[in-house]
Amino acid sequence: KAGVTQTPRYLIKTRGQQVTLSCSPISGHRSVSWYQQTPGQGLQFLFEYFSETQRNKGNFPGRFSGRQFSNSRSEMNVSTLELGDSALYLCASSGRLAGDTDTQYFGPGTRLTVL
Amino acid sequence: GQNIDQPTEMTATEGAIVQINCTYQTSGFNGLFWYQQHAGEAPTFLSYNVLDGLEEKGRFSSFLSRSKGYSYLLLKELQMKDSASYLCAFSPNAGNNRKLIWGLGTSLAVNP
């Protein structure tokens, strides 16, 4: 099966700008989760979408938002970028396939640098 | 509250065995995951334990003790390509394995 894809892979923005990241899950998966990964904080859960509805949310400010489309593709938006938003943003898809137990499969990530 | 802890760094020799420990505290628990992450790459799934005991999968095995809030990942016959960060994560909610609580990862260096 084709894996999770994320675009773009790398992004450089300046403070105050906004950014939109895209994630396409594994075909047939309906759940998409987003994470922020930094060296000091590790993997931090942002939110999870299932069938176009946000089902779980982490402890991030409202500048971080997301949505999911009917084809399960998801986008994440960060407005008014801050230097601290520089991180690797990972999305993970999961679905009840045979033999799986809601295992999450990660995409390659988007490396965001805020200058 | 919920927290999870694992050693920051470990070093081992090619061909040897290494055990990476992970301890956690939580009121709700629905399983523990181990992932491997090579530098600059995405985490890849290694194992999932929800019941006590040892699960073996080739050179990798994972153990869970729910009563002790403890898990370990055992890597045998270490190879250079096993140099990576190993992440443990637990699911605090039954029926909802997406909102995971992650450790910071253990960076394993395998030396020749």
Side-chain angles (χ1 to χ4, degrees):
Chain A
K1 55 189 177 189
V4 179
T5 58
Q6 289 186 248
T7 56
R9 293 293 311 277
Y10 301 91
L11 208 49
I12 299 176
K13 292 285 187 179
T14 56
R15 278 180 297 174
Q17 287 187 307
Q18 76 163 20
V19 66
T20 299
L21 313 180
S22 180
C23 171
S24 292
I26 291 170
S27 178
H29 283 190
R30 294 164 65 188
S31 169
V32 174
S33 298
W34 287 91
Y35 292 89
Q36 180 194 68
Q37 187 176 34
T38 57
Q41 298 293 318
L43 268 166
Q44 301 287 308
F45 174 78
L46 281 154
F47 28 66
E48 182 229 352
Y49 287 87
F50 183 88
S51 293
E52 302 179 65
T53 301
Q54 187 180 87
R55 200 159 59 165
N56 287 292
K57 190 175 187 306
N59 298 321
F60 278 79
R63 300 186 297 108
F64 293 81
S65 63
R67 58 178 176 168
Q68 187 179 35
F69 302 95
S70 58
N71 62 358
S72 294
R73 189 178 70 85
S74 177
E75 286 183 348
M76 191 193 97
N77 185 277
V78 188
S79 62
T80 319
L81 283 167
E82 300 176 358
L83 294 178
D85 297 333
S86 294
L88 179 67
Y89 290 87
L90 293 161
C91 89
S93 78
S94 62
R96 290 195 175 272
L97 304 176
D100 272 330
T101 314
D102 280 326
T103 299
Q104 295 192 48
Y105 297 91
F106 285 85
T110 295
R111 173 76 62 185
L112 172 65
T113 301
V114 182
L115 303 176
Chain B
Q2 299 165 335
N3 61 74
I4 185 166
D5 193 38
Q6 53 182 129
T8 305
E9 293 179 340
M10 297 185 72
T11 304
T13 305
E14 195 175 13
I17 298 173
V18 71
Q19 178 175 310
I20 303 174
N21 297 324
C22 174
T23 57
Y24 62 89
Q25 290 181 315
T26 179
S27 54
F29 179 82
N30 194 45
L32 189 134
F33 293 82
W34 283 97
Y35 280 78
Q36 178 192 61
Q37 186 176 25
H38 285 102
E41 298 182 11
T44 55
F45 171 75
L46 290 177
S47 67
Y48 172 67
N49 294 65
V50 65
L51 301 176
D52 286 358
L54 186 69
E55 298 254 353
E56 298 188 67
K57 203 184 285 188
R59 293 190 299 113
F60 292 9
S61 302
S62 56
F63 171 84
L64 176 68
S65 168
R66 295 177 66 133
S67 62
K68 295 181 180 177
Y70 168 68
S71 173
Y72 67 73
L73 181 68
L74 193 70
L75 291 74
K76 305 175 188 174
E77 301 169 17
L78 280 172
Q79 302 175 9
M80 300 296 289
K81 67 178 182 180
D82 297 330
S83 293
S85 182
Y86 291 86
L87 305 166
C88 64
F90 70 85
S91 169
N93 301 315
N96 183 354
N97 281 350
R98 270 79 58 187
K99 190 175 182 179
L100 302 180
I101 308 298
W102 293 81
L104 294 180
T106 298
S107 180
L108 173 66
V110 179
N111 298 318

